[in-house]
């Protein structure tokens, strides 16, 4: 049956080819024989050892892949670390002592941890439930002998699945993967991260896939529009093939921008930088010719950890980042965590509305000895290795900025007296503008700041009173709402005659039709995901700021999202 299905874009691109369904073997535990606890524990230990060996072999096998090996290895090494989690294993052993088989015990303990992660509000931590599921499945295959056969791709295809575990993805021949379509996966699952890393068009969150897509059926996917066509007409096929060729040509043409500077047609300099979550993201961004890092999400250092990373561990990461990006700037955001990002070693209180609760700088200031001081000391120690900028998230008041800067000065003096810094470090201080209230008092903050960076993802959420993770109202989280543009214009007017530079690090910076407006308002740094770097730089280089300022004046008069979109597209 001819259908058009919709989901969410994970990685843009067009693909046309036969659908191949991936279905993980369902492991049947009904006929599993239960022996004495001692024997069951021995079985569990052997299965864990076999899983560890399999993971290490898979890590080594990534050496032969030519592309972005390090990210694949990082995810697998995180799985190795999770395999040694004493709480997960301890809960499994407890069930075995109650007389259950190793396989049933493992499945039940895994379900407890998976349910705990899935109950969290934070999308990234929810996605870690996928990793528990992956590891559990791998151990169960060794415990039961079921599910050891892997899917082999025999021809180029679009892989369709309810979900795909990272280990399953990495065992596939990526050269035969034209695209990926998932029913359940999120944009932040490790499989989604791998799809982006290998630049495979990917759509997630497509409901009832098995009702519409069948094995070997020809399908067309346009991941930019998050759209899938089943049983496409010959005309649609020809159009898709033309678009695919155009996409390949565009991708090749964009390569010339790797070595270009981001300078507008009327010779005004900008920086197209990268939003990064780990050192491996940085390596990909450098390959793409990034002009620095506009947002390093330092909280990712805390995820999948059993304890708080030490000052020294943090320092080594920040040093690598700052040193590798020099002479370009590295903007490192303080930990942006809160009640929706439950970390076992912090024991944060559960909050009714964590997005409006104790998070970001608020939380760091409330736990200075655990969170703020060790991070600031590590950051300041990295400053001599390059060009460092420290950014505070979730700022609401002038007092918070003053407390933040006082803590910085205290840490700086400590490091100098301890001999860990030989001279006062050079660095910039800034805030992330995401709370609407702070935008209205920016003039009071100017003496205390070197820069501000607008985080449009959360700013729009707060401005439009819309939970962007809630599918029933997510359509109201709209960057083209006239109020969003006018609010950005208000921010730019507050700062235009000051020495404080402006950046923007939300997804809006990668919206090509919006880029000229941002340039016209004076946003000098546009920070995007590494995959969007070249397209954004090409747009900057092909834009006249003077002409864009005229368009901006028309855009500010738009009365609806549709009217603004129509103006920008035409």
């Amino acid at each position: 049956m001819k259908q058009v299905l919709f989901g969410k874009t994970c990685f843009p691109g067009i693909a046309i080819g036969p659908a191949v369904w991936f279905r993980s073997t369902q492991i049947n535990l009904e006929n599993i024989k239960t022996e004495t606890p001692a024997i069951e524990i021995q079985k569990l230990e052997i299965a864990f050892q076999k899983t560890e060996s399999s993971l290490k072999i898979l890590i080594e096998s990534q050496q032969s892949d030519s592309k972005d090996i390090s990210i694949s290895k990082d995810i697998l090494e995180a799985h190795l670390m999770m395999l040694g989690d004493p709480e997960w294993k301890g809960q499994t052993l407890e069930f075995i002592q109650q007389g259950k088989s190793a396989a049933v015990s493992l499945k039940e303990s895994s379900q407890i941890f998976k349910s705990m992660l899935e109950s969290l509000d934070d999308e990234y931590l929810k996605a870690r439930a996928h990793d528990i599921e992956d590891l559990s499945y791998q151990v169960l295959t060794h415990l039961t002998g079921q599910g050891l056969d892997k899917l082999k791709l025999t021809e180029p295809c679009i892989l369709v699945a309810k979900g795909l575990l990272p280990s399953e993805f990495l065992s596939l021949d990526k050269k035969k993967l034209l695209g990926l379509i998932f029913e359940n996966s999120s944009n932040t699952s490790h499989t989604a991260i791998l799809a982006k890393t290998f630049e495979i068009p990917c759509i997630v969150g497509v409901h009832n896939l098995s009702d519409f897509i069948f094995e070997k059926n020809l399908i067309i996917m346009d991941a930019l529009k998050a759209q899938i066509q089943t049983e496409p007409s010959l005309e649609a096929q020809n159009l898709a093939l033309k678009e695919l060729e155009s996409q390949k040509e565009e991708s090749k043409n964009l390569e010339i921008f790797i070595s270009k500077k981001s300078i507008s047609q009327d010779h005004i300099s900008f920086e197209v930088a990268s939003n990064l979550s780990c050192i491996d993201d940085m390596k990909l961004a450098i390959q793409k010719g990034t002009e620095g890092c506009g947002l390093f999400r330092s909280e990712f250092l805390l995820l999948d950890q059993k304890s708080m990373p030490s000052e020294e561990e943090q320092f080594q990461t920040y040093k690598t980042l700052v040193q590798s990006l020099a002479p370009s700037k590295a903007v490192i955001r303080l930990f942006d965590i809160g009640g929706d990002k439950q970390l076992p070693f912090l024991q944060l209180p559960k909050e009714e509305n964590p997005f409006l609760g104790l998070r970001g700088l608020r939380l760091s200031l409330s736990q200075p000895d655990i969170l703020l001081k060790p991070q600031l000391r590590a950051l300041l120690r990295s400053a001599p290795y390059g060009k460092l900028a420290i950014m505070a998230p979730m700022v609401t008041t002038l007092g918070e900025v003053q407390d933040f800067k006082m803590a910085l000065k205290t840490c700086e003096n400590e490091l100098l007296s301890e001999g860990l810094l030989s001279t006062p470090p050079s660095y910039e201080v800034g805030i992330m503008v995401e709370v609407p209230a702070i935008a209205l008092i920016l003039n009071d903050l100017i003496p205390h700041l070197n820069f501000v960076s607008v985080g449009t993802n959360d700013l729009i959420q707060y401005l439009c009173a819309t939970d962007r993770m809630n599918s029933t109202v997510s359509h109201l989280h709209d960057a083209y709402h006239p109020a969003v543009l006018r609010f950005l214009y208000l921010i730019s007017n507050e700062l235009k005659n000051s020495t404080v530079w402006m950046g923007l690090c939300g997804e809006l910076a990668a919206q090509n039709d919006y880029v000229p407006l941002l340039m016209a308002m004076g946003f000098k740094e546009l920070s995007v995901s590494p995959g969007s770097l070249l397209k954004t730089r090409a747009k900057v280089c092909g834009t006249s700021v003077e002409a864009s300022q005229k368009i901006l004046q028309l855009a500010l008069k738009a009365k609806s999202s549709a009217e603004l979109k129509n103006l920008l597209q035409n």
Side-chain angles (χ1 to χ4, degrees), residues 71-114:
I71 296 178
S72 309
K73 288 179 72 177
D74 245 26
I75 289 170
L76 291 169
E77 281 164 1
H79 280 195
L80 263 181
M81 188 173 69
M82 289 171 72
L83 194 63
D85 187 324
E87 289 186 35
W88 180 38
K89 199 169 182 181
Q91 182 65 70
T92 307
L93 291 171
E94 194 176 309
F95 285 144
I96 290 174
Q97 294 293 357
Q98 292 171 14
K100 296 176 181 178
S101 69
V104 168
S105 298
L106 181 80
K107 188 167 185 181
E108 289 185 5
S109 66
S110 301
Q111 191 56 50
I112 289 171
F113 283 89
K114 184 170 175 256

Side-chain angles (χ1 to χ4, degrees), residues 311 368-369 372-378 380-381 405-425 427:
E311 177 187 320
D369 294 331
L372 188 62
K373 285 183 69 177
Q375 184 171 32
L376 292 183
R377 284 172 59 93
L380 290 169
R381 287 172 60 191
K405 289 199 73 176
M406 193 182 301
L408 264 170
K409 196 65 187 170
T410 300
C411 291
E412 189 179 319
N413 290 335
E414 284 177 4
L415 292 167
L416 287 165
S417 66
E418 292 166 22
L420 288 170
L421 285 175
S422 56
T423 57
Y427 58 95

Side-chain angles (χ1 to χ4, degrees), residues 286-531:
I286 288 172
Q287 288 171 19
K288 299 276 188 183
T290 190
E291 292 169 303
C293 168
L295 169 64
F296 182 75
R297 302 178 180 95
S298 67
E299 61 273 11
F300 277 57
L301 296 177
L302 308 181
L303 303 175
D304 298 331
Q305 298 294 325
K306 297 168 196 164
S307 60
M308 186 73 192
S310 67
E311 177 187 320
E312 184 61 29
E313 288 172 314
Q314 290 187 59
F315 163 63
Q316 292 299 335
T317 298
Y318 304 146
K319 174 189 168 185
T320 300
L321 182 78
V322 170
Q323 199 169 37
S324 301
L325 289 169
S328 296
K329 192 186 290 114
V331 179
I332 301 178
R333 181 176 70 186
L334 299 185
F335 299 135
D336 189 15
I337 51 176
D340 61 316
K341 296 179 181 176
Q342 289 292 337
L343 301 168
F345 51 84
L346 282 182
Q347 296 182 330
L348 301 175
K350 183 75 175 171
E351 295 179 309
E352 286 299 317
N353 194 342
F355 289 102
L356 299 178
L358 189 64
R359 62 180 306 112
L361 184 62
R362 301 171 183 178
L363 178 61
S364 291
L365 287 169
S366 75
Q367 299 200 26
D369 294 331
I370 298 171
L371 291 172
L372 188 62
K373 285 183 69 177
Q375 184 171 32
L376 292 183
R377 284 172 59 93
L379 285 165
L380 290 169
R381 287 172 60 191
S382 74
Y385 294 90
K387 199 170 178 182
L388 172 69
I390 303 173
M391 178 165 69
M394 198 66 179
V395 179
T396 312
T397 68
L398 171 61
E400 288 173 332
V401 174
Q402 291 170 325
D403 290 345
F404 164 47
K405 289 199 73 176
M406 193 182 301
L408 264 170
K409 196 65 187 170
T410 300
C411 291
E412 189 179 319
N413 290 335
E414 284 177 4
L415 292 167
L416 287 165
S417 66
E418 292 166 22
L420 288 170
L421 285 175
S422 56
T423 57
S426 174
Y427 58 95
E428 292 186 336
V429 176
I431 62 167
M432 198 165 181
V433 175
E434 48 199 331
V435 178
I438 204 70
L440 300 174
I441 60 166
L442 279 176
N443 196 51
D444 301 328
L445 272 59
I446 287 171
H448 305 275
L449 301 174
N450 302 110
F451 72 95
V452 302
S453 185
V454 180
T456 49
N457 297 353
D458 277 341
L459 176 64
I460 296 168
Q461 176 168 257
Y462 296 134
L463 199 57
C464 297
T466 307
D467 180 358
R468 59 195 167 105
M469 303 300 183
N470 182 339
S471 59
T472 58
V473 294
S474 59
H475 64 284
L476 296 171
H477 186 275
D478 182 9
Y480 295 88
H481 191 302
V484 174
L485 177 61
R486 293 176 198 177
F487 204 78
L488 292 174
Y489 186 64
L490 180 150
I491 292 168
S492 67
N493 273 349
E494 282 285 299
L495 299 173
K496 69 179 177 183
N497 295 320
S498 75
T499 57
V500 175
W501 63 264
M502 288 191 304
L504 192 140
C505 58
E507 290 174 16
L508 190 59
Q511 293 284 97
N512 260 18
D513 56 353
Y514 221 106
V515 166
L517 299 183
L518 299 175
M519 293 168 67
M521 286 186 278
F523 286 93
K524 289 295 185 182
E525 180 195 77
L526 303 177
S527 195
V528 298
S529 66

